[in-house]
Amino acid sequence: MAAYVVALDCYLFRHLLSAEHTKFLQTSSLPTRMTYFMLRAFNEKVIYRPFVFSRLLYLISLRAVRKEVLHH
């Protein structure tokens, strides 16, 4: 999971990061950066997967069911 967060920050969303955030990642020690990414990965696993993604899946499936009902 931490590698996923690193890939997102370093490649996909780098242009969205503030200068302070980029400076922090470039100048911090390895243990500090690893702690940062481990906390981000934990946050993603605990908050986003059970709550945000399940809610999003529920809303998508609800919309699909409504479309199916309207077409019959």
Side-chain angles (χ1 to χ4, degrees), residues 5-66:
V5 173
V6 169
L8 285 178
D9 281 351
C10 291
Y11 301 106
L12 190 59
F13 297 116
R14 184 171 184 125
H15 67 282
L16 298 174
L17 295 175
S18 67
E20 294 85 22
H21 190 82
T22 305
K23 184 179 178 183
F24 165 76
L25 293 175
Q26 292 173 342
T27 59
S28 298
S29 66
L30 181 60
T32 301
R33 287 192 311 262
M34 291 301 292
T35 302
Y36 166 78
F37 285 116
M38 287 171 34
L39 289 172
R40 293 241 352 247
F42 176 78
N43 182 42
E44 194 273 335
K45 248 190 188 331
V46 169
I47 294 173
Y48 291 109
R49 284 190 182 183
F51 301 108
V52 176
F53 293 138
S54 62
R55 180 72 176 162
L56 183 61
L57 183 62
Y58 171 75
L59 292 173
I60 291 170
S61 64
L62 187 63
R63 185 174 180 192
V65 168
R66 285 184 181 170

